Amino acid sequence: QEPSNKRVKPLSRVTSLASLIPPVRATPLKRFSQTLQRSISFRSESRPELFSPRPWSRNVPPANTKRRDSKLWSETFDVCVNHMLTSKEIKRQEAIFELSQGEEDLIEDLKLAKKAYHDPMLKLSIMTEQELNQIFGTLDSLIPLHEDLLRRLQEVRKPDGSTDHVGHILVGWLPCLNSYDSYCSNQVAAKALLDHKKQDHRVQDFLQRCLESPFSRKLDLWNFLDIPRSRLVKYPLLLREILRHTPNDHPDQQHLEEAINIIQGIVAEINIKTGESECQYYKERLIYLEEGQRDSLIDNSRAVCCHGELKNNRGVKLHVFLFEEVLVITRAVTHNEQLCYQLYRQPIPVRELLLEDLQDGEVRLGGSLRGAFSNNERIKNFFRVSFKNGSQSQTHSLQANDSFNKQQWLNCIRQAKEKLAAGTAEARCPGCPRGEAPERMEQSDCESDCSMDTSELSADCERMEQTNSWESQKQIETNV
């Protein structure tokens, strides 16, 4: 080789600069490489040789998740029929087909819950028969009910796929849904037991394996157990959709209206019984530190308007229950291997409770240093409840998870107070015309846990925080 006339930089300078760069810690890099390996292994299965599996990792091929495709009536049956039907009639057939297809999917899911979860856990002794009966409730008895409706709908379907009349079928079948009250009333206790059993590593491992299997469609066991309740509250919507596309002179018109009244009455009655069952469940799990904490307002309560986890200004996690006439502040504790709620202070009567909406930054966190160096996120979404009766007085600054969570608490407490005030006014003057009382919140909203994740409603929350009048609150609750 010919000698080069170019001047070469000394290598020592480069290496000296490299020595100044601190070494990268191996742990984050290892985590990143493993995450990258998982993401690429799903996208490029044709080149598995790029990443060799770890010797200690479980070599499981990526599962293809089973997805349930939505079917349309116009795509399932002969398209030529559509040319002979009006647009409104096609929409009616689509709505009837959706009702029938929903029954088929429901039956498949209920059978799957028994075959893939109940029977294997019983056979492998992962849970006892008594525990499984508590968690699954009367699930088996619901399958024949829906198989009966599906059979009736398929019998009246004509060879071309269209259906003329369904109203008379629904009027005759819907009353059997009254048997749902025992299943729905059991769900609170079933969910609590299932959550407790998940602490057992055998149960957790079995449920995780099912979740990763294709048949689950990424749904856990509780999703399958909650499907019947979701289907029940969907019936009024489905029937209204069929009625909306049914001509006024159609024989189904009257039957569909009757069917809607039947299902609305059934759902309302089951809501009441489920609320009473939930209320009784939580009342039985209250732990009183002293006899003076017992209150007849708790014993006489038949519904829980709202409940969930809140924090006080010292960061202590509290579980708060708003019954119909009393607010109960508790701490979640474990007693006899069960989740219970130990009273933190004396119960506060809703009638004498003072509610104050606090602006962000108004509350000072416990401890001077802690309050001085706390970030803005820790002093947001506070509200204050206070009570004074003679020598007894309480004041609690409570923090919700987010602005929506806070607004839900404010709305529930205000509504409970206004309902009691309206009842007092009627009792004092029974002969006077009563003003329009605020509507009671739907059971599904009142019973929902206030710690739900509602991050996607942040835009509505800002508007909710600026609303103070009752009419605006009523509209907000409807939107939520």
Side-chain angles (χ1 to χ4, degrees), residues 202-268:
R202 293 189 67 204
V203 176
Q204 181 62 34
D205 182 65
F206 176 84
L207 296 179
Q208 183 62 33
R209 288 173 182 270
C210 291
L211 186 63
E212 295 172 355
S213 300
F215 71 82
S216 70
R217 307 195 308 277
K218 300 299 181 183
L219 302 176
D220 61 16
L221 174 57
W222 183 250
N223 290 135
F224 285 100
L225 296 177
D226 196 47
I227 284 176
R229 183 201 60 80
S230 302
R231 181 66 178 174
L232 181 67
V233 299
K234 192 177 180 181
Y235 280 120
L237 303 177
L238 293 171
L239 301 192
R240 287 195 195 101
E241 185 66 15
I242 299 175
L243 179 62
R244 190 162 69 93
H245 300 296
T246 300
N248 295 331
D249 57 347
H250 197 285
D252 253 5
Q253 181 81 17
Q254 183 176 356
H255 285 137
L256 287 172
E257 291 177 351
E258 183 180 355
I260 291 174
N261 291 332
I262 292 174
I263 188 59
Q264 285 179 334
I266 292 174
V267 171

Side-chain angles (χ1 to χ4, degrees), residues 175-457:
C176 72
L177 292 180
N178 282 305
S179 59
Y180 259 71
D181 59 356
S182 59
Y183 182 81
C184 294
S185 298
N186 178 64
Q187 280 197 300
V188 178
K191 181 68 164 61
L193 178 58
L194 179 60
D195 290 341
H196 174 69
K197 293 301 295 183
K198 284 181 179 179
Q199 299 175 14
D200 185 341
H201 72 278
R202 293 189 67 204
V203 176
Q204 181 62 34
D205 182 65
F206 176 84
L207 296 179
Q208 183 62 33
R209 288 173 182 270
C210 291
L211 186 63
E212 295 172 355
S213 300
F215 71 82
S216 70
R217 307 195 308 277
K218 300 299 181 183
L219 302 176
D220 61 16
L221 174 57
W222 183 250
N223 290 135
F224 285 100
L225 296 177
D226 196 47
I227 284 176
R229 183 201 60 80
S230 302
R231 181 66 178 174
L232 181 67
V233 299
K234 192 177 180 181
Y235 280 120
L237 303 177
L238 293 171
L239 301 192
R240 287 195 195 101
E241 185 66 15
I242 299 175
L243 179 62
R244 190 162 69 93
H245 300 296
T246 300
N248 295 331
D249 57 347
H250 197 285
D252 253 5
Q253 181 81 17
Q254 183 176 356
H255 285 137
L256 287 172
E257 291 177 351
E258 183 180 355
I260 291 174
N261 291 332
I262 292 174
I263 188 59
Q264 285 179 334
I266 292 174
V267 171
E269 183 66 24
I270 291 178
N271 267 344
I272 294 174
K273 291 183 179 180
T274 303
E276 292 176 351
S277 175
E278 180 190 29
C279 183
Q280 185 63 31
Y281 174 84
Y282 286 120
K283 287 196 297 184
E284 291 174 355
R285 279 154 184 79
L286 293 178
I287 298 178
Y288 300 92
L289 294 178
E290 54 187 31
E291 202 60 30
Q293 291 180 328
R294 297 186 179 274
D295 196 318
S296 60
L297 294 178
I298 299 177
D299 298 332
N300 298 332
S301 296
R302 299 181 59 188
V304 182
C305 300
C306 200
H307 74 92
E309 186 179 277
L310 298 170
K311 294 180 181 179
N312 63 11
N313 60 334
R314 295 185 176 274
V316 178
K317 292 182 179 180
L318 305 170
H319 200 98
V320 183
F321 295 91
L322 176 62
F323 294 96
E324 294 168 304
E325 297 187 39
V326 62
L327 184 77
V328 182
I329 302 176
T330 71
R331 282 180 173 175
V333 296
T334 302
H335 181 68
N336 294 333
E337 296 187 354
Q338 283 188 340
L339 180 62
C340 297
Y341 304 93
Q342 178 180 293
L343 266 70
Y344 181 69
R345 291 289 187 270
Q346 289 291 121
I348 301 177
V350 172
R351 194 185 304 275
E352 302 169 26
L353 181 148
L354 299 178
L355 178 64
E356 185 179 357
D357 185 1
L358 302 178
Q359 299 298 321
D360 292 343
E362 188 174 341
V363 174
R364 184 180 180 85
L365 300 182
S368 57
L369 287 177
R370 183 180 179 185
F373 293 99
S374 61
N375 55 32
N376 293 332
E377 294 299 323
R378 295 175 60 181
I379 54 178
K380 285 184 176 182
N381 307 315
F382 271 93
F383 64 94
R384 181 177 292 139
V385 293
S386 55
F387 160 71
K388 187 172 184 179
N389 185 4
S391 60
Q392 295 183 358
S393 64
Q394 294 184 54
T395 300
H396 303 278
S397 297
L398 302 173
Q399 184 183 31
N401 292 339
D402 49 42
S403 56
F404 171 81
N405 186 210
K406 170 186 172 180
Q407 192 63 42
Q408 189 181 27
W409 274 104
L410 295 176
N411 290 341
C412 285
I413 295 175
R414 286 167 181 159
Q415 191 174 24
K417 288 182 65 65
E418 289 174 1
K419 182 180 178 182
L420 290 174
T424 302
E426 183 182 17
R428 289 178 179 174
C429 186
C432 299
R434 180 181 174 185
E436 183 179 355
E439 294 181 5
R440 187 182 180 198
M441 184 177 292
E442 290 294 328
Q443 193 78 16
S444 58
D445 293 334
C446 295
E447 295 173 4
S448 61
D449 195 315
C450 286
S451 60
M452 65 178 71
D453 183 11
T454 53
S455 56
E456 40 194 57
L457 296 176

Side-chain angles (χ1 to χ4, degrees), residues 104-122:
E104 193 172 331
D105 294 341
L106 175 63
I107 294 168
E108 180 184 340
D109 286 337
L110 296 184
K111 290 182 176 180
L112 179 64
K114 176 173 173 51
K115 181 179 179 181
Y117 290 94
H118 178 280
D119 295 349
M121 284 194 287
L122 180 61

